[in-house]
Each structure stands twice: as C-alpha cells, then as structure tokens.
Amino acid sequence: MLFEKDMDPRCIYCKRGQALDGQTVICCKRGVLGSGGGCHRFRYDPLKRVPPKPLPVDFSQWKQEDFSL
C-alpha cells in the first residue's frame, strides 16, 4: 500500500467505494455503508485520500532583515 504499510481498511479509501457525502459510501459489493467501515475485499486507492492541510507558518518570530540580501 502506498504511504502506510498498515492501512486501516476504510470504505472511503476503497477502489470499490463511491462517496455519497462525508459520512456515507456506496459499495458495489456491500451497498450503502458508513465511511469508517471496512471489509476483507478492501483495495486501497491512493487517489481518494485527501491529505490534511498544512499548518500556517508563523512569521512573527522573524525580522524584516532576515528576508533581505
């Protein structure tokens, strides 16, 4: 699996699942499920995973002289 070796099987990241909204997924094998569910037919699709947003950078600790040449 891409990124993590021990990925939790979640329907929201499965190749067979299609997200309906943030909480429900429709699966071609099991029907309508919660996004946190998983089964033994889980196949990870890395394109369905949305990475977390990066934290904003705090520039208050720097002075204007630090950015000039």
Side-chain angles (χ1 to χ4, degrees), residues 8-59:
D8 264 351
R10 293 185 184 240
C11 293
I12 196 80
Y13 304 137
C14 184
K15 287 184 180 182
R16 295 180 176 95
Q18 182 70 27
L20 295 176
D21 58 19
Q23 299 296 324
T24 56
V25 176
I26 188 163
C27 177
C28 64
K29 297 292 183 183
R30 298 183 67 195
V32 179
L33 303 165
S35 63
C39 66
H40 67 279
R41 294 181 181 254
F42 174 75
R43 296 293 175 256
Y44 180 59
D45 185 3
L47 298 178
K48 290 187 177 181
R49 189 160 187 178
V50 179
K53 291 185 178 184
L55 296 174
V57 180
D58 181 24
F59 289 109

Side-chain angles (χ1 to χ4, degrees), residues 59-69:
F59 289 109
S60 64
Q61 63 183 354
W62 303 100
K63 299 179 210 162
Q64 185 64 30
E65 296 90 33
D66 295 332
F67 296 100
S68 63
L69 293 175

